[in-house]
CSV table of all heavy atoms in Angstrom, one decimal:
chain,number,residue,atom,x,y,z
I,1,ILE,N,110.4,79.5,66.3
I,1,ILE,CA,111.7,79.4,65.8
I,1,ILE,C,111.8,78.4,64.7
I,1,ILE,O,112.4,78.6,63.7
I,1,ILE,CB,112.6,79.0,67.0
I,1,ILE,CG1,112.9,80.1,68.0
I,1,ILE,CG2,114.0,78.5,66.5
I,1,ILE,CD1,113.6,79.8,69.2
I,2,SER,N,111.1,77.3,64.9
I,2,SER,CA,111.2,76.2,63.8
I,2,SER,C,110.7,76.7,62.5
I,2,SER,O,111.2,76.5,61.4
I,2,SER,CB,110.4,75.0,64.2
I,2,SER,OG,109.0,75.3,64.3
I,3,LEU,N,109.5,77.5,62.5
I,3,LEU,CA,109.0,78.0,61.3
I,3,LEU,C,109.9,79.2,60.7
I,3,LEU,O,110.0,79.3,59.5
I,3,LEU,CB,107.6,78.6,61.6
I,3,LEU,CG,106.5,77.5,62.0
I,3,LEU,CD1,105.2,78.1,62.4
I,3,LEU,CD2,106.3,76.5,60.8
I,4,SER,N,110.5,79.9,61.6
I,4,SER,CA,111.2,81.1,61.1
I,4,SER,C,112.5,80.7,60.4
I,4,SER,O,113.0,81.5,59.6
I,4,SER,CB,111.5,82.1,62.3
I,4,SER,OG,112.5,81.5,63.2
I,5,VAL,N,113.0,79.5,60.7
I,5,VAL,CA,114.3,79.1,60.1
I,5,VAL,C,114.0,78.2,58.9
I,5,VAL,O,115.0,77.7,58.3
I,5,VAL,CB,115.3,78.4,61.1
I,5,VAL,CG1,115.6,79.4,62.2
I,5,VAL,CG2,114.6,77.1,61.7
I,6,GLY,N,112.8,77.9,58.6
I,6,GLY,CA,112.5,77.2,57.3
I,6,GLY,C,111.9,75.8,57.5
I,6,GLY,O,111.7,75.1,56.5
I,7,PHE,N,111.7,75.3,58.7
I,7,PHE,CA,111.1,73.9,58.8
I,7,PHE,C,109.6,74.0,58.8
I,7,PHE,O,108.9,74.9,59.3
I,7,PHE,CB,111.5,73.3,60.2
I,7,PHE,CG,112.9,73.0,60.3
I,7,PHE,CD1,113.9,73.8,60.8
I,7,PHE,CD2,113.4,71.7,59.8
I,7,PHE,CE1,115.2,73.4,60.9
I,7,PHE,CE2,114.7,71.4,59.8
I,7,PHE,CZ,115.6,72.2,60.3
I,8,SER,N,109.0,73.0,58.0
I,8,SER,CA,107.6,73.0,57.8
I,8,SER,C,106.8,72.5,59.0
I,8,SER,O,105.5,72.8,59.0
I,8,SER,CB,107.3,72.3,56.6
I,8,SER,OG,107.7,70.9,56.7
I,9,SER,N,107.4,71.8,59.9
I,9,SER,CA,106.6,71.3,61.0
I,9,SER,C,107.5,71.2,62.3
I,9,SER,O,108.8,71.1,62.1
I,9,SER,CB,106.1,69.9,60.7
I,9,SER,OG,107.1,68.9,60.7
I,10,ILE,N,106.9,71.3,63.4
I,10,ILE,CA,107.7,71.3,64.6
I,10,ILE,C,108.3,69.9,64.9
I,10,ILE,O,109.3,69.7,65.5
I,10,ILE,CB,106.8,71.7,65.9
I,10,ILE,CG1,107.6,71.8,67.1
I,10,ILE,CG2,105.6,70.8,66.0
I,10,ILE,CD1,108.7,72.9,67.2
I,11,SER,N,107.5,68.8,64.5
I,11,SER,CA,108.0,67.5,64.6
I,11,SER,C,109.3,67.2,63.8
I,11,SER,O,110.3,66.6,64.3
I,11,SER,CB,107.0,66.4,64.3
I,11,SER,OG,106.6,66.6,62.9
I,12,THR,N,109.4,67.7,62.6
I,12,THR,CA,110.6,67.6,61.8
I,12,THR,C,111.8,68.4,62.4
I,12,THR,O,112.8,67.9,62.5
I,12,THR,CB,110.3,68.2,60.4
I,12,THR,OG1,109.2,67.4,59.7
I,12,THR,CG2,111.5,68.0,59.5
I,13,PHE,N,111.5,69.6,62.9
I,13,PHE,CA,112.5,70.4,63.6
I,13,PHE,C,113.0,69.7,64.8
I,13,PHE,O,114.3,69.6,64.9
I,13,PHE,CB,111.9,71.7,63.9
I,13,PHE,CG,112.8,72.6,64.8
I,13,PHE,CD1,114.0,73.0,64.3
I,13,PHE,CD2,112.4,73.0,66.0
I,13,PHE,CE1,114.9,73.7,65.0
I,13,PHE,CE2,113.3,73.8,66.8
I,13,PHE,CZ,114.5,74.2,66.3
I,14,ASN,N,112.1,69.2,65.6
I,14,ASN,CA,112.6,68.5,66.8
I,14,ASN,C,113.4,67.3,66.5
I,14,ASN,O,114.5,67.1,67.2
I,14,ASN,CB,111.4,68.0,67.7
I,14,ASN,CG,110.7,69.2,68.4
I,14,ASN,OD1,111.3,70.2,68.7
I,14,ASN,ND2,109.4,69.1,68.6
I,15,ARG,N,113.0,66.5,65.5
I,15,ARG,CA,113.8,65.3,65.1
I,15,ARG,C,115.2,65.6,64.6
I,15,ARG,O,116.2,65.1,65.0
I,15,ARG,CB,113.0,64.5,64.1
I,15,ARG,CG,113.8,63.3,63.6
I,15,ARG,CD,112.9,62.5,62.6
I,15,ARG,NE,112.3,63.2,61.6
I,15,ARG,CZ,113.0,63.6,60.4
I,15,ARG,NH1,114.2,63.2,60.3
I,15,ARG,NH2,112.4,64.3,59.5
I,16,ILE,N,115.2,66.6,63.7
I,16,ILE,CA,116.5,67.0,63.1
I,16,ILE,C,117.5,67.7,64.1
I,16,ILE,O,118.7,67.4,64.2
I,16,ILE,CB,116.3,67.8,61.8
I,16,ILE,CG1,115.6,67.0,60.8
I,16,ILE,CG2,117.6,68.4,61.3
I,16,ILE,CD1,115.3,67.7,59.5
I,17,PHE,N,116.8,68.5,64.9
I,17,PHE,CA,117.7,69.2,65.9
I,17,PHE,C,118.3,68.2,66.9
I,17,PHE,O,119.5,68.3,67.3
I,17,PHE,CB,116.8,70.2,66.7
I,17,PHE,CG,117.6,71.2,67.6
I,17,PHE,CD1,117.9,72.4,67.1
I,17,PHE,CD2,118.0,70.8,68.9
I,17,PHE,CE1,118.7,73.3,67.9
I,17,PHE,CE2,118.7,71.7,69.6
I,17,PHE,CZ,119.1,72.9,69.1
I,18,ARG,N,117.5,67.2,67.3
I,18,ARG,CA,118.0,66.2,68.3
I,18,ARG,C,119.2,65.4,67.5
I,18,ARG,O,120.1,65.0,68.2
I,18,ARG,CB,116.9,65.3,68.7
I,18,ARG,CG,117.3,64.3,69.9
I,18,ARG,CD,116.2,63.4,70.3
I,18,ARG,NE,116.6,62.6,71.4
I,18,ARG,CZ,116.5,63.0,72.6
I,18,ARG,NH1,115.9,64.1,73.0
I,18,ARG,NH2,116.9,62.2,73.7
I,19,GLN,N,119.0,65.1,66.3
I,19,GLN,CA,120.1,64.3,65.6
I,19,GLN,C,121.3,65.2,65.5
I,19,GLN,O,122.4,64.6,65.6
I,19,GLN,CB,119.6,64.1,64.1
I,19,GLN,CG,118.5,63.0,64.1
I,19,GLN,CD,118.0,62.8,62.7
I,19,GLN,OE1,118.3,63.6,61.8
I,19,GLN,NE2,117.1,61.8,62.4
I,20,SER,N,121.2,66.5,65.4
I,20,SER,CA,122.4,67.4,65.3
I,20,SER,C,123.1,67.7,66.6
I,20,SER,O,124.3,67.8,66.7
I,20,SER,CB,122.0,68.6,64.6
I,20,SER,OG,121.4,68.4,63.3
I,21,ASN,N,122.3,67.8,67.6
I,21,ASN,CA,122.8,68.3,68.9
I,21,ASN,C,122.6,67.3,70.1
I,21,ASN,O,123.0,67.6,71.2
I,21,ASN,CB,122.0,69.6,69.3
I,21,ASN,CG,122.3,70.7,68.4
I,21,ASN,OD1,123.4,71.3,68.4
I,21,ASN,ND2,121.4,71.0,67.5
I,22,ASN,N,122.1,66.2,69.8
I,22,ASN,CA,121.9,65.1,70.8
I,22,ASN,C,121.1,65.6,72.0
I,22,ASN,O,121.2,65.2,73.2
I,22,ASN,CB,123.3,64.6,71.4
I,22,ASN,CG,123.2,63.2,71.9
I,22,ASN,OD1,122.4,62.4,71.5
I,22,ASN,ND2,123.9,62.9,72.9
I,23,CYS,N,120.2,66.5,71.8
I,23,CYS,CA,119.3,67.0,72.8
I,23,CYS,C,118.1,67.7,72.0
I,23,CYS,O,118.2,68.1,70.9
I,23,CYS,CB,119.9,68.0,73.8
I,23,CYS,SG,120.5,69.6,73.0
I,24,THR,N,117.0,67.9,72.8
I,24,THR,CA,115.8,68.6,72.2
I,24,THR,C,116.1,70.0,72.2
I,24,THR,O,116.9,70.5,73.0
I,24,THR,CB,114.6,68.1,72.9
I,24,THR,OG1,114.7,68.8,74.2
I,24,THR,CG2,114.3,66.7,73.1
I,25,PRO,N,115.3,70.8,71.4
I,25,PRO,CA,115.4,72.2,71.5
I,25,PRO,C,115.1,72.7,72.9
I,25,PRO,O,115.8,73.7,73.3
I,25,PRO,CB,114.3,72.7,70.4
I,25,PRO,CG,114.2,71.6,69.5
I,25,PRO,CD,114.4,70.3,70.3
I,26,SER,N,114.2,72.2,73.6
I,26,SER,CA,113.8,72.6,74.9
I,26,SER,C,115.1,72.4,75.9
I,26,SER,O,115.4,73.3,76.7
I,26,SER,CB,112.6,71.9,75.5
I,26,SER,OG,111.5,72.1,74.7
I,27,GLU,N,115.7,71.2,75.7
I,27,GLU,CA,116.8,71.0,76.5
I,27,GLU,C,118.0,71.9,76.3
I,27,GLU,O,118.7,72.4,77.1
I,27,GLU,CB,117.3,69.5,76.4
I,27,GLU,CG,116.3,68.5,77.0
I,27,GLU,CD,116.6,67.1,76.5
I,27,GLU,OE1,117.3,66.9,75.5
I,27,GLU,OE2,116.1,66.1,77.2
I,28,TYR,N,118.1,72.2,74.9
I,28,TYR,CA,119.2,73.1,74.5
I,28,TYR,C,119.0,74.5,75.1
I,28,TYR,O,119.9,75.2,75.6
I,28,TYR,CB,119.2,73.2,72.9
I,28,TYR,CG,120.3,74.0,72.4
I,28,TYR,CD1,121.5,73.4,72.0
I,28,TYR,CD2,120.2,75.4,72.2
I,28,TYR,CE1,122.5,74.3,71.4
I,28,TYR,CE2,121.1,76.2,71.6
I,28,TYR,CZ,122.3,75.6,71.3
I,28,TYR,OH,123.3,76.4,70.7
I,29,ARG,N,117.8,75.0,75.0
I,29,ARG,CA,117.4,76.3,75.6
I,29,ARG,C,117.6,76.3,77.1
I,29,ARG,O,118.2,77.3,77.6
I,29,ARG,CB,115.9,76.6,75.3
I,29,ARG,CG,115.3,77.8,76.0
I,29,ARG,CD,114.0,78.2,75.5
I,29,ARG,NE,114.2,79.2,74.4
I,29,ARG,CZ,113.2,79.7,73.6
I,29,ARG,NH1,112.0,79.3,73.8
I,29,ARG,NH2,113.5,80.5,72.7
I,30,ARG,N,117.3,75.2,77.8
I,30,ARG,CA,117.5,75.3,79.2
I,30,ARG,C,119.0,75.3,79.6
I,30,ARG,O,119.4,76.0,80.5
I,30,ARG,CB,116.9,74.0,79.8
I,30,ARG,CG,116.9,74.0,81.4
I,30,ARG,CD,116.0,72.9,81.9
I,30,ARG,NE,116.4,71.5,81.4
I,30,ARG,CZ,115.7,70.8,80.6
I,30,ARG,NH1,114.5,71.3,80.0
I,30,ARG,NH2,116.1,69.6,80.2
I,31,LYS,N,119.8,74.7,78.8
I,31,LYS,CA,121.3,74.8,79.1
I,31,LYS,C,121.8,76.2,78.8
I,31,LYS,O,122.8,76.5,79.4
I,31,LYS,CB,122.0,73.8,78.1
I,31,LYS,CG,121.7,72.3,78.4
I,31,LYS,CD,122.4,71.4,77.4
I,31,LYS,CE,122.0,70.0,77.6
I,31,LYS,NZ,122.7,69.1,76.6
I,32,HIS,N,121.1,77.0,78.0
I,32,HIS,CA,121.6,78.3,77.8
I,32,HIS,C,121.0,79.3,78.8
I,32,HIS,O,121.3,80.5,78.7
I,32,HIS,CB,121.3,78.8,76.3
I,32,HIS,CG,122.2,78.2,75.4
I,32,HIS,ND1,122.2,77.0,74.9
I,32,HIS,CD2,123.3,78.8,74.7
I,32,HIS,CE1,123.2,76.7,74.0
I,32,HIS,NE2,123.9,77.9,73.9
I,33,ASP,N,120.0,78.9,79.6
I,33,ASP,CA,119.3,79.8,80.5
I,33,ASP,C,119.8,79.4,81.9
I,33,ASP,O,119.3,78.5,82.5
I,33,ASP,CB,117.8,79.7,80.4
I,33,ASP,CG,117.1,80.7,81.2
I,33,ASP,OD1,117.7,81.3,82.1
I,33,ASP,OD2,115.9,81.0,80.8
I,34,PRO,N,120.7,80.2,82.6
I,34,PRO,CA,121.2,79.9,83.9
I,34,PRO,C,120.1,79.8,84.9
I,34,PRO,O,120.1,79.0,85.8
I,34,PRO,CB,122.1,81.0,84.2
I,34,PRO,CG,122.5,81.7,83.0
I,34,PRO,CD,121.3,81.4,82.0
I,35,LEU,N,119.0,80.6,84.9
I,35,LEU,CA,117.9,80.6,85.8
I,35,LEU,C,117.2,79.2,85.7
I,35,LEU,O,116.7,78.7,86.8
I,35,LEU,CB,117.0,81.7,85.6
I,35,LEU,CG,117.5,83.1,85.7
I,35,LEU,CD1,116.5,84.2,85.4
I,35,LEU,CD2,118.0,83.3,87.2
I,36,LYS,N,117.0,78.7,84.5
I,36,LYS,CA,116.3,77.4,84.4
I,36,LYS,C,117.1,76.2,84.8
I,36,LYS,O,116.6,75.1,85.0
I,36,LYS,CB,115.8,77.2,83.0
I,36,LYS,CG,114.7,78.2,82.6
I,36,LYS,CD,114.2,77.9,81.2
I,36,LYS,CE,113.1,78.9,80.7
I,36,LYS,NZ,112.6,78.7,79.4
I,37,ARG,N,118.4,76.4,85.1
I,37,ARG,CA,119.3,75.3,85.4
I,37,ARG,C,119.3,75.2,87.0
I,37,ARG,O,119.8,74.3,87.5
I,37,ARG,CB,120.7,75.5,84.9
I,37,ARG,CG,120.8,75.3,83.4
I,37,ARG,CD,122.2,74.9,83.0
I,37,ARG,NE,123.2,75.9,83.4
I,37,ARG,CZ,123.7,76.9,82.7
I,37,ARG,NH1,123.2,76.9,81.5
I,37,ARG,NH2,124.6,77.7,83.1
């Protein structure tokens, strides 16, 4: 996902995503998956 939307590295994506959403991409995904909650 990070590469497909234009980020050059997973670390940059994780940092900017957390700044924007106050959670990591993994935490965000878990919130959207009822089974994982």
Side-chain angles (χ1 to χ4, degrees):
I1 290 172
S2 69
L3 294 175
S4 70
V5 300
F7 288 96
S8 57
S9 71
I10 185 67
S11 60
T12 301
F13 172 61
N14 284 334
R15 176 174 54 80
I16 294 177
F17 192 93
R18 188 180 185 91
Q19 288 173 351
S20 300
N21 294 284
N22 205 36
C23 65
T24 66
S26 297
E27 291 168 340
Y28 185 93
R29 167 167 273 175
R30 188 166 59 251
K31 291 174 183 178
H32 280 78
D33 188 340
L35 294 178
K36 291 184 180 180
R37 292 204 300 262

